[in-house]
Amino acid sequence: MSSSKRTTKLEVESPVPADIDIANSVEPFHISEIAKDLNLSPNHYDLYGKYKAKVLLSVLDELEQSDDGYYVVIGGITPTPLGEGKSTTTVGLCQALGAYLDKMVITCLRQPSQGPTFGIKGGAAGGGYSQVIPMDEFNLHLTGDIHAITAANNLLAAAIDTRIFHESTQSDKALFNRLCPPNKQGKRKFSDIMFRRLKKLGITKTQPEDLTPEEAAKFARLDIDPNSITWRRVMDVNDRFLRKITVGQGPEEKGMARETGFDISVASEIMAVLALTTSLADMRERLGKMVIGNSKAGDPITADDLGVGGALTVLMKDAINPTLMQTLEGTPVLVHAGPFANIAHGNSSIVADKIALKLVGPQGFVVTEAGFGADIGTEKFMNIKCRYSGLRPHCAVIVATIRALKMHGGGPEVVAGKPLDPAYLSENIPLVEAGCVNLARHIVNTKAYGVNVVVAVNKFSTDTEAEMNAVIHASMAAGAFDAVICTHHAHGGKGAVELGVAVQKACASVNQPLNFLYHLDISIKEKIEAIARSYGASGVEYSEQAEKQIEMYTKQGFSGLPICMAKTQYSFSHNAAQKGAPSGFILPIRDVRASIGAGFIYPLVGTMSTMPGLPTRPCFYEIDLDTTTGKVIGLS
């Protein structure tokens, strides 16, 4: 495929203006023009306004025989609470490859949650002169995928409580008769989805009247144990007061009250399913297999047991298509899925990456971002996402900042919303060198997968040449393929050209197979311990609850799934205060849960909040609409 010449040359200002002001200063190309550069015809996508389009999965079928491009994953060192510019580096690298190095390139990013957008972190479209635009559309409703996930998740939640309610008030016979009512001709029949439950129960009969009373009771009564329910309602807003609530307090539900809670929408298993699915048919199967809890006899209860798997798929049928957008410099972006990077794998979707790899073709580049530090995001990318996709990366980038390295070297605490300590704003080479132990461990861990590692030092205005040279020296000593300084935040793609060249060379010189950290056929505990060792742990300690859950999932036949560790992103260990590269610690596993539809077991290391709260002064204080121009202002 020919490379695109349709790029925007940026007029950069210094100091760098606010992100939203930069985003609003560039007129995006009509999305059909971006699509045309990718050789997509109008029947390959559905327009959502002028600047967004849903790319249809039929593109994958049409390009099945085409060769893939190079596959690059962006991870990072263990970050400060301020973030180290991983999304910005991802976008800047792609702007460099497309607008300056004349390569076919597609950026693959997660869709941001409205929780952080209106809460504490702000948007996730990149920053400075390396952004996805339109910034407001990217960070707000986009094409409604998160709303679809919210609707599907809550339909399943309603189905669970309703089923418990109806089962509590009806006999087996009445329940069966209502589930399989006679039609006008007096004939009964099973709906298509019911055959999934019948098959699971080993019942081969196809007519309701042929079932024995015992079989009818087994089929009709799920007998859900309310204490085992793991499925919670969700919404895409940070609302701490919904973390623990009681449902079923209405007069008609007397005696049915149940303590539960809400998660943020991106923490829903349906989001993880969207990110890991490979086709519409695969998504249907995964949604149906999602386990919501157990029966009182200890058997897993699925969405298909509740008869709702098909309806969930209908709500998700458009969400499975990735959204095409563009960077400030007119290079294409596919935005898709946004799974929580703690309790899920924190990567954008497999289908977006696969479509992108076909569209860029040989010698083209697909750059995809992994959530949080490489100990979480890149590890899950390799061991979960690449397992399900069958793809392997040619290069892994690790984003580092002088600020984070100083923190890991023993610098003062970095707190979001508070001014940085002077130690971070003046030269301190010993602090940087001490902190490079964190970067070195990430390099060693990532190289072990069999990929070349390029370190991108995201330069801030207060960083000195001597400090950056110390990072480059430490990176090369730890085994990096290359290490380069980047100024894409201040200069756009032009500031990441050196990174682009290094990534090209790294991709061209690797040919070994992907080495997973563990095999799937070992036990749940052995997999957990393999990951713990990569963190530097000398052992693992399991709570009584964790032991019980591991035993149950093994008994239920789920021990062959990969592991998705839910751990703080602020340390290799379970203790966020432990910086650098701690070792010899015992990793405590508090609980073990499962996302069976998505396809992973997730151990909880410490306490994980799945519903963030708003700070005293949330980002929404700055957000408003210019009613004269209709433009959004104040997004960060």
Side-chain angles (χ1 to χ4, degrees):
M1 291 189 178
S2 60
S3 66
S4 163
K5 301 295 179 194
R6 188 183 285 104
T7 55
T8 302
K9 292 300 175 195
L10 294 174
E11 300 290 330
V12 303
E13 293 179 32
S14 183
V16 178
D19 288 352
I20 189 68
D21 293 336
I22 295 172
N24 286 341
S25 72
V26 174
E27 181 62 34
F29 294 111
H30 194 284
I31 202 65
S32 61
E33 297 296 307
I34 301 294
K36 202 182 200 177
D37 290 338
L38 293 170
N39 292 336
L40 289 169
S41 67
N43 64 329
H44 288 137
Y45 57 86
D46 291 333
L47 289 171
Y48 279 66
K50 291 191 244 179
Y51 307 123
K52 306 185 297 289
K54 282 277 197 182
V55 179
L56 307 177
L57 295 196
S58 55
V59 172
L60 262 184
D61 299 327
E62 282 188 35
L63 297 176
E64 194 179 0
Q65 302 307 315
S66 304
D67 291 333
D68 288 352
Y70 290 117
Y71 194 32
V72 180
V73 61
I74 310 278
I77 63 169
T78 306
T80 69
L82 306 178
E84 310 318 305
K86 199 153 36 66
S87 300
T88 308
T89 304
T90 304
V91 175
L93 169 59
C94 292
Q95 290 180 173
L97 287 166
Y100 289 87
L101 297 170
D102 208 26
K103 297 292 178 187
M104 285 292 283
V105 63
I106 296 178
T107 316
C108 289
L109 293 175
R110 290 184 295 165
Q111 180 182 345
S113 164
Q114 286 176 190
T117 298
F118 292 112
I120 195 165
K121 284 176 74 177
Y129 287 102
S130 294
Q131 292 188 57
V132 178
I133 55 172
M135 180 190 175
D136 55 338
E137 294 183 27
F138 180 85
N139 282 301
L140 301 175
H141 306 284
L142 201 62
T143 46
D145 293 358
I146 293 180
H147 300 316
I149 287 160
T150 305
N153 184 100
N154 294 342
L155 174 62
L156 180 50
I160 296 164
D161 287 316
T162 299
R163 186 59 173 260
I164 295 171
F165 170 76
H166 287 303
E167 286 192 19
S168 72
T169 58
Q170 298 177 49
S171 67
D172 292 345
K173 187 178 178 183
L175 197 58
F176 183 74
N177 288 343
R178 285 193 170 93
L179 286 169
C180 303
N183 61 17
K184 288 177 183 173
Q185 288 76 42
K187 296 271 187 190
R188 296 174 181 277
K189 66 169 199 167
F190 292 119
S191 65
D192 287 347
I193 200 169
M194 290 176 172
F195 287 107
R196 292 174 180 250
R197 175 152 178 81
L198 289 165
K199 185 181 177 185
K200 177 179 171 180
L201 296 172
I203 300 170
T204 56
K205 295 168 185 173
T206 57
Q207 300 302 319
E209 55 268 22
D210 293 341
L211 268 63
T212 65
E214 293 75 23
E215 287 171 335
K218 204 172 165 189
F219 165 79
R221 191 166 295 281
L222 301 182
D223 203 25
I224 299 167
D225 177 0
N227 296 320
S228 75
I229 295 170
T230 53
W231 198 265
R232 291 165 33 128
R233 289 161 175 85
V234 300
M235 63 190 302
D236 197 33
V237 172
N238 289 359
D239 192 345
R240 67 174 72 241
F241 278 82
L242 291 177
R243 286 173 182 167
K244 192 168 274 194
I245 60 163
T246 306
V247 295
Q249 296 202 41
E252 283 159 12
E253 291 77 46
K254 200 169 169 77
M256 303 288 296
R258 181 169 70 85
E259 194 177 86
T260 179
F262 268 74
D263 293 335
I264 196 160
S265 295
V266 289
S268 170
E269 183 178 349
I270 296 177
M271 177 63 93
V273 166
L274 179 67
L276 288 172
T277 195
T278 52
S279 68
L280 196 56
D282 178 64
M283 182 172 76
R284 169 63 188 91
E285 292 308 307
R286 287 175 182 270
L287 291 172
K289 280 185 197 166
M290 293 188 304
V291 172
I292 58 87
N294 299 323
S295 69
K296 286 170 184 164
D299 298 318
I301 303 294
T302 67
D304 273 347
D305 286 328
L306 285 154
V308 75
L312 301 182
T313 310
V314 168
L315 284 170
M316 293 293 294
K317 73 179 177 62
D318 296 322
I320 197 172
N321 300 314
T323 301
L324 181 64
M325 295 187 76
Q326 64 193 285
T327 67
L328 283 169
E329 298 191 61
T331 61
V333 179
L334 283 177
V335 184
H336 204 212
F340 216 60
N342 274 343
I343 65 158
H345 65 295
N347 283 261
S348 66
S349 79
I350 286 172
V351 291
D353 289 1
K354 283 193 161 187
I355 289 170
L357 285 163
K358 296 297 183 192
L359 290 175
V360 299
Q363 307 309 310
F365 290 82
V366 170
V367 182
T368 190
E369 181 192 356
F372 288 158
D375 56 319
I376 301 180
T378 305
E379 183 270 308
K380 293 174 182 180
F381 170 86
M382 301 289 187
N383 292 305
I384 301 175
K385 185 176 177 181
C386 288
R387 264 190 223 272
Y388 284 123
S389 69
L391 300 172
R392 70 169 310 280
H394 297 87
C395 169
V397 175
I398 296 178
V399 179
T401 60
I402 301 296
R403 174 179 69 196
L405 291 168
K406 284 180 175 177
M407 177 189 74
H408 288 296
E413 192 180 1
V414 176
V415 181
K418 288 190 180 175
L420 279 172
D421 188 275
Y424 295 103
L425 306 173
S426 55
E427 184 172 280
N428 190 327
I429 294 165
L431 210 54
V432 173
E433 288 175 337
C436 281
V437 293
N438 182 272
L439 172 58
R441 182 177 288 171
H442 284 298
I443 292 169
V444 170
N445 282 357
T446 307
K447 266 190 79 178
Y449 294 107
V451 296
N452 284 329
V453 174
V454 174
V455 173
V457 185
N458 185 17
K459 184 181 185 301
F460 294 177
S461 58
T462 50
D463 300 339
T464 69
E465 192 174 345
E467 288 174 329
M468 290 183 291
N469 285 339
V471 180
I472 289 171
H473 178 75
S475 300
M476 301 310 286
F481 179 87
D482 206 348
V484 296
I485 311 301
C486 306
T487 61
H488 44 275
H489 183 273
H491 302 118
K494 189 177 180 182
V497 168
E498 198 181 336
L499 176 61
V501 170
V503 164
Q504 283 184 63
K505 287 179 182 170
C507 285
S509 67
V510 68
N511 55 16
Q512 60 190 107
L514 186 59
N515 302 318
F516 294 119
L517 190 57
Y518 53 82
H519 295 293
L520 291 181
D521 56 4
I522 61 175
S523 71
I524 291 174
K525 281 190 174 182
E526 285 172 312
K527 290 176 209 168
I528 290 171
E529 284 149 23
I531 297 170
R533 284 193 296 275
S534 77
Y535 299 154
S538 59
V540 177
E541 185 178 81
Y542 300 92
S543 71
E544 192 181 328
Q545 170 68 8
E547 293 275 12
K548 186 177 130 198
Q549 292 296 104
I550 289 169
E551 187 183 347
M552 183 186 75
Y553 291 136
T554 304
K555 186 179 160 194
Q556 290 177 341
F558 300 138
S559 64
L561 293 173
I563 298 296
C564 187
M565 206 77 95
K567 176 183 80 72
T568 177
Q569 69 269 38
Y570 295 124
S571 173
F572 270 111
S573 77
H574 55 286
N575 179 1
Q578 275 195 292
K579 304 305 180 188
S583 60
F585 56 90
I586 302 295
L587 194 74
I589 304 296
R590 180 175 65 85
D591 197 359
V592 178
R593 295 180 191 164
S595 291
I596 302 303
F600 53 75
I601 303 282
Y602 63 100
L604 273 68
V605 184
T607 305
M608 290 289 121
S609 173
T610 51
M611 172 55 87
L614 290 170
T616 308
R617 193 182 189 283
C619 294
F620 63 61
Y621 271 85
E622 303 298 330
I623 298 169
D624 211 328
L625 195 70
D626 183 325
T627 53
T628 307
T629 64
K631 289 195 179 230
V632 174
I633 52 176
L635 271 178
S636 61

